[in-house]
Amino acid sequence: SFKVPKATLVNNQWVDVFIQYTADAAAGNGKVTVVHNNVKYWDNLVIPGATPIATPKIAIGGRTGGEFERNAIDNLIVAYNADIAPPQPPTISITAPANNSEIVAGAPATITVNATAASGVNKVEFFANGSLLGQSTTAPYSFTVPQVPPGIYTVTAKITDNAGVAVTSAPVTVTARPPASANA
């Protein structure tokens, strides 16, 4: 089982939700792919013992965050027995610096990422403790901070593809320590 945090599911914007179920009667299982707000939660997750659905039915429910909130569905498409490829949101991961690494304060530091997008990469933005440091629009995607102040930083990067879909990387923690003093 996999629980999705409430903050991921509750927001004030329209988001795309893609659910695909396939059954393999010969193998005695089914598979489900779920993409919510361009985050893939399950990709062909095997469901043992699942069988084809003879007369499929769709039920939609909603849960509001408060007494006077409401739910709405816009542009609902139900494709039965259709061969539809799931959406491929862009991906991004920080390759340097490594998580829980230490760097020298006062020196430059370069943040590099692996960033891919099926529709092409529009930009990659780099953040430290939630503040925008800069961006890159050409591969290889990186950004150099000329002089890092001492401190502990949570570094993230956000990719925006040419279709306008944005995804944020997992964070890495970096500690910038002053250079060791030369005591003899």
Side-chain angles (χ1 to χ4, degrees):
S1 115
F2 179 78
K3 293 183 179 180
V4 179
K6 183 177 180 182
T8 303
L9 296 176
V10 178
N11 52 50
N12 292 321
Q13 63 181 351
W14 290 101
V15 296
D16 289 334
V17 177
F18 176 91
I19 303 169
Q20 181 179 48
Y21 171 79
T22 55
D24 184 348
N29 64 34
K31 294 179 183 176
V32 68
T33 296
V34 176
V35 179
H36 173 268
N37 198 19
N38 297 305
V39 176
K40 192 178 284 186
Y41 287 96
W42 293 287
D43 188 11
N44 286 315
L45 176 70
V46 175
I47 304 170
T51 59
I53 302 169
T55 55
K57 295 178 182 162
I58 303 286
I60 299 172
R63 180 176 171 189
T64 62
E67 182 179 355
F68 299 106
E69 291 186 25
R70 60 191 165 100
N71 290 313
I73 296 175
D74 185 25
N75 297 330
L76 176 66
I77 298 170
V78 177
Y80 176 68
N81 283 342
D83 190 15
I84 299 173
Q88 297 300 317
T91 61
I92 188 163
S93 61
I94 296 174
T95 57
N99 191 29
N100 297 318
S101 62
E102 291 188 7
I103 60 174
V104 177
T110 300
I111 305 166
T112 58
V113 298
N114 278 336
T116 59
S119 68
V121 177
N122 178 277
K123 67 181 174 181
V124 173
E125 297 170 290
F126 300 87
F127 298 86
N129 295 343
S131 296
L132 178 65
L133 298 172
Q135 70 178 25
S136 176
T137 57
T138 56
Y141 303 101
S142 65
F143 181 79
T144 300
V145 179
Q147 190 174 8
V148 180
I152 299 173
Y153 300 96
T154 300
V155 178
T156 57
K158 181 170 81 171
I159 182 174
T160 303
D161 70 9
N162 288 332
V165 176
V167 173
T168 301
S169 71
V172 298
T173 301
V174 179
T175 303
R177 298 201 187 279
S181 6
N183 292 336

